[in-house]
Amino acid sequence: MAATLPRTPPQILGPFYPFMHTPIEHGDLTNGGKAQGTVLHLSGRVTTDDGSPIVNAKVEIWQANTNGRYAHPNDTTDEPLDPAFHGFAVVRTDAQGRYSFKTIRPKAYRVSPERWRPAHIHFSVDSTSERLVTQMYFKGDDYNATDNWLNSASRKDMLIVDPSARGDGTQEVTFDIVMMRA
């Protein structure tokens, strides 16, 4: 019998879900590399808890830009928007459960005078068995230790990634997602 993998912890949908935008479907949120910030090649696999790939799962991401600003009417911060950055995309997993996006590394942002959210990327993954909403955080972010949502996760270590530098000045990271079997 195969070992059971721990399920990726759920997280909140968040106040900035881009309901008013249509997600891009090709996975490049950088507008062909024109967006401001450090390009992040984000990929991973979506599997069941027994390690089987989930084929044709819908993987949706949304995030703040390199300035810590969402393109959302409820984000009223003074940080600038980046017209070349599309902060909302969706792709489907392949036969091995793989997905990939080309995005930028987001920045932390203030949610109140005393509280910040660490840099993170939101995920919504739909399969035939369930919908999982979660967030991916970055190792070493100053605000990880004080973030209520990250610290409420049953296995926050599964939500924190450590990007590596590529020779072209971009970064890459793998974020695997484990869901329940149908």
Side-chain angles (χ1 to χ4, degrees):
M1 182 172 180
T4 301
L5 299 170
R7 183 177 181 264
T8 300
Q11 293 271 281
I12 61 165
L13 187 68
F16 300 126
Y17 180 80
F19 64 88
M20 73 304 264
H21 297 296
T22 300
I24 58 169
E25 296 183 4
H26 51 71
D28 182 358
L29 290 81
T30 71
N31 193 16
K34 296 176 185 153
Q36 300 167 10
T38 301
V39 171
L40 180 70
H41 299 274
L42 166 60
S43 63
R45 291 184 69 222
V46 179
T47 66
T48 62
D49 58 356
D50 69 356
S52 301
I54 298 180
V55 179
N56 203 36
K58 180 175 129 181
V59 181
E60 190 176 72
I61 66 168
W62 64 99
Q63 67 177 88
N65 66 20
T66 193
N67 300 309
R69 173 93 186 261
Y70 284 87
H72 191 284
N74 291 343
D75 187 342
T76 58
T77 64
D78 293 332
E79 298 300 330
L81 287 170
D82 177 358
F85 179 66
H86 194 88
F88 184 33
V90 62
V91 296
R92 295 272 179 179
T93 57
D94 68 11
Q96 288 75 43
R98 296 178 301 210
Y99 71 88
S100 67
F101 294 97
K102 181 180 176 185
T103 187
I104 56 91
R105 187 158 172 170
K107 182 180 169 190
Y109 59 90
R110 184 184 302 273
V111 292
S112 72
E114 305 83 33
R115 194 165 75 87
W116 287 73
R117 287 288 334 265
H120 60 279
I121 297 176
H122 295 266
F123 282 77
S124 175
V125 184
D126 288 296
S127 73
T128 56
S129 64
E130 72 170 313
R131 177 180 187 215
L132 174 67
V133 174
T134 194
Q135 296 178 38
M136 180 189 84
Y137 300 84
F138 296 88
K139 182 179 179 180
D141 189 292
D142 292 341
Y143 302 105
N144 283 349
T146 58
D147 187 69
N148 294 338
W149 302 115
L150 174 58
N151 290 298
S152 70
S154 58
R155 292 279 313 269
K156 70 181 183 179
D157 60 300
M158 293 179 68
L159 302 178
I160 299 172
V161 298
D162 189 9
S164 58
R166 293 173 46 156
D168 60 1
T170 65
Q171 295 181 348
E172 64 185 349
V173 69
T174 300
F175 185 63
D176 292 330
I177 297 168
V178 178
M179 300 175 75
M180 301 305 292
R181 282 174 265 189

